[in-house]
Amino acid sequence: MNIITNRLKFTFHIDNIKRDFIFLSLQREKNSKWWGAKQLDYIIGDEYKALAVCYKDNYAYAMFKKQGNNGYELEKRIRNNDDCLQDCIAKEVEIEKINSCDEENFINNEVLGRLLLNYLGSSRSRFSNLHFSNLTGSLLKIPSLKIGKLARSILVAQVNLNYIKNTDNEFLLNVSMGNYRLEKDIRAELKNAKGKDKKQLLKYLKRPRYVIDEGKATLIRWLGSEDKNNPNSTYIKAGKKGKKAHKNFLNFDSLADFENSKAGILHQVILDMRKYLKSYLTVEFIPLETKKCLRFDRTNFIFTQQNKATKKLNSIIENQSINIIDLVNNEESQNLVEKIKKELIPYFQNETLISVSNHDINDAFNVRIIRDKNYYKRNNIEDKYLSSENNIQRQNLTIESIPTKEIKTIIKTIIKELIIKQDISRQKISLFDWSKITQLSNKKWIFAMYDENNDDKNQNKSLTFMTINHDGSFELDTLTSDDNMFLQTHKYDEYKEYIEQVIKQEKKAESYFKFEGFILSENHDINLIFRSDEITLPNLDQIKFVLEEQEKELSEYLSNGFTITNIVQDFLTIYPQFNNNEKFDIFCQELKNNYPRHISKKELYGLIKQYLGGKNNSASTKEATQFRDYLLEKYQVRFTFPKDNDSKYSFFFNNININYFGETETEAHYFVGCSVEAINSSFKDSCHLRKIVAVKNSQLVFQDLLKTMDVDFVRTGQSTVIPFPFKYIREYHNLSS
């Protein structure tokens, strides 16, 4: 089966590009690095009317219409311009040598691809209604903004195009999210900020300012003097501490939800490139063939299958006590305590094991209800957050972040996190039968990863090794840069060298893969895991087609009760088993009495559910299902997005199950999707392709570990994307920090 990803093959139509456009490179002489985003936005403004701009290393580039422009005259204008373009060195560049490294005289394929992509955001082009903006060198998708009402923050999508080194014009197209916040809010936050928080906010205030263009209802760059902009109506790209700028990878509740999701934006960009840039560019997908697909048997799932899984979990936490500590102590927190107690009972069947107190209890699972850190900081109160200790497992719940509707899921997360913390304390895996991996041998497996909590670029990250014995007992050992200060050789030094060597090779090749983890098998084969920005794409064309079909109103012919009544009679002729069914008689009578002239699609679906459906107006009865299918097949009337398993496989094959493919002697690739049963109406995250590399004449052994990802105690209700021992290492890092 072929997998489609966001990897695209570009074929440039050079003659057409040279016919219609000219290009300038711009360089500023400050430590040989390009700086001056404001100058780029000035060039794309009304003064110069560049069609697109972008950055690449030490240079910026601008694309202009050839008609009405002259490269030499543009160079001269920029050189002699006012303060807006001071110090800019502009030079016309050619596109003859697409793969040239001579940035001063030629434009390479990566820059050319980005400029053509950013051209989709040109407000002067014939496709100005696409709602994309080329701002500060990037292509942005800005949501519809209400004029006269300023949002505190605006979630903006940035479309990124990255060339894959050593390929024939292959690129990755991705969407990242960024928050644009009102400047006045950032300044208000700065007043009480200290240390790193204050430093970060000051960095934000040095970034470009944007204002809402009331004529186009979109963001534009503020090109005036910074001391004259209004902080009450000016936006800056800035994060909010503790909150990640997030948009679901895919939503298919409605057509609008689909178009605003990351996958929907990617789909629209690809369609737009094929439609509006076809004279300059041919865009093709590069299919990948998967050889091995692991279907979820869920035998290792503990938190998803309610009956069987609960019994398995009961055996793990048998006689384990759990203690709830309410450190908020108000009516809301007391209600939360009661809800938590109620949801814990199926797991801790002996209610005497569940207690409520005002302090932690040794050897118990301690669930602490606290405030978020901003509350404590704002009120000058000591933060009540406490991490776990050797024989005190703690899980902190901030009352502000607990949605009551998701309390069942939260309880599952609490339990699995506390069990993992207890496993680390006891140094024994209890959530998985490790003998499934060792198969009764007495040999060991070793896993290792860097501490992701250490974000100091000037300091070497610590590397933690987890050695797992055949019975699931394990040891954790951390190797830091300090260990190299002594003459003694660390037992893991050799493995650390392998990791560093392969990471250097990836960097040297300018690879888009990032190191994630080290694995040493029981037979001493070394495999390394690398994560990429290449993601799998569902069947976006078909999903959009079905959503458009779903939201399409009834045709004039179908939009009256008498026509629908006649269709019912035709239906009963084909399906005589429903002939004596009074549901259809009442349904037809309602159509004749109350909808003789006009009926909307929404009204028709409501009547189908009411008169042909079951309890609570369910549309899943035989009568309702068969009649809906008839309307779809005969008249292309669709009421809902199909949720049967066959349809899910058709739409989302590229996003389900564990897929392992592309295996050679030293490399393989894989990605982890969800189970088909878990698909509802959205995908929170995309599926990233990962690469496995065997080093030092090792064999690829990763296939043996695929089952260690078919567990639901890392991501509740879903398989994990790398073998679960790495979750233990991450948690160990969190506890250590």
Side-chain angles (χ1 to χ4, degrees), residues 285-337:
F285 287 109
I286 304 174
L288 301 173
E289 184 178 353
T290 59
K291 291 185 178 180
K292 184 179 181 66
C293 172
L294 176 65
R295 293 276 176 91
F296 291 84
D297 59 17
R298 296 195 161 199
T299 54
N300 300 319
F301 274 33
I302 294 177
F303 294 91
T304 305
Q305 296 173 329
Q306 196 62 42
N307 296 326
K308 183 179 177 182
T310 302
K311 289 180 181 178
K312 191 183 295 185
L313 185 59
N314 290 152
S315 65
I316 294 173
I317 57 176
E318 187 177 8
N319 298 323
Q320 173 64 52
S321 60
I322 186 163
N323 177 43
I324 307 168
I325 306 108
D326 181 4
L327 296 171
V328 175
N329 201 24
N330 63 14
E331 185 178 352
E332 183 184 3
S333 66
Q334 289 166 8
N335 289 336
L336 179 60
V337 168

Side-chain angles (χ1 to χ4, degrees), residues 642-656:
K643 297 290 180 70
D644 60 282
N645 284 353
D646 287 342
S647 296
K648 289 178 181 179
Y649 273 108
S650 173
F651 294 131
F652 310 114
F653 179 82
N654 296 347
N655 298 82
I656 57 178

Side-chain angles (χ1 to χ4, degrees), residues 693-704:
V693 177
V695 300
K696 198 194 172 186
N697 301 317
S698 294
Q699 300 293 315
L700 279 172
V701 294
F702 195 77
Q703 279 200 59
D704 298 337

Side-chain angles (χ1 to χ4, degrees), residues 188-323:
E189 195 177 330
L190 180 63
K191 291 179 181 178
N192 299 316
K194 297 177 181 178
K196 288 184 178 180
D197 294 347
K198 183 176 181 179
K199 189 176 180 181
Q200 182 60 64
L201 291 169
L202 289 171
K203 282 184 179 179
Y204 289 152
L205 290 171
K206 293 179 180 179
R207 290 181 175 180
R209 266 74 169 169
Y210 302 88
V211 293
I212 294 178
D213 183 330
E214 295 194 358
K216 301 172 185 173
T218 188
L219 287 179
I220 59 172
R221 175 70 178 267
W222 170 260
L223 293 172
S225 174
E226 287 188 11
D227 59 356
K228 292 183 179 180
N229 75 287
N230 183 359
N232 295 324
S233 59
T234 303
Y235 290 89
I236 297 174
K237 185 179 181 182
K240 181 80 173 173
K241 188 173 182 181
K243 292 185 179 180
K244 185 179 179 182
H246 177 78
K247 185 183 283 287
N248 279 352
F249 170 66
L250 175 64
N251 277 339
F252 48 96
D253 255 339
S254 68
L255 182 60
D257 288 334
F258 169 77
E259 290 176 340
N260 286 319
S261 68
K262 285 185 176 181
I265 293 169
L266 279 178
H267 182 246
Q268 189 61 53
V269 169
I270 294 168
L271 291 179
D272 291 343
M273 284 195 292
R274 286 175 166 173
K275 182 177 181 179
Y276 298 110
L277 303 180
K278 61 184 178 182
S279 296
Y280 314 115
L281 187 67
T282 298
V283 180
E284 300 170 282
F285 287 109
I286 304 174
L288 301 173
E289 184 178 353
T290 59
K291 291 185 178 180
K292 184 179 181 66
C293 172
L294 176 65
R295 293 276 176 91
F296 291 84
D297 59 17
R298 296 195 161 199
T299 54
N300 300 319
F301 274 33
I302 294 177
F303 294 91
T304 305
Q305 296 173 329
Q306 196 62 42
N307 296 326
K308 183 179 177 182
T310 302
K311 289 180 181 178
K312 191 183 295 185
L313 185 59
N314 290 152
S315 65
I316 294 173
I317 57 176
E318 187 177 8
N319 298 323
Q320 173 64 52
S321 60
I322 186 163
N323 177 43

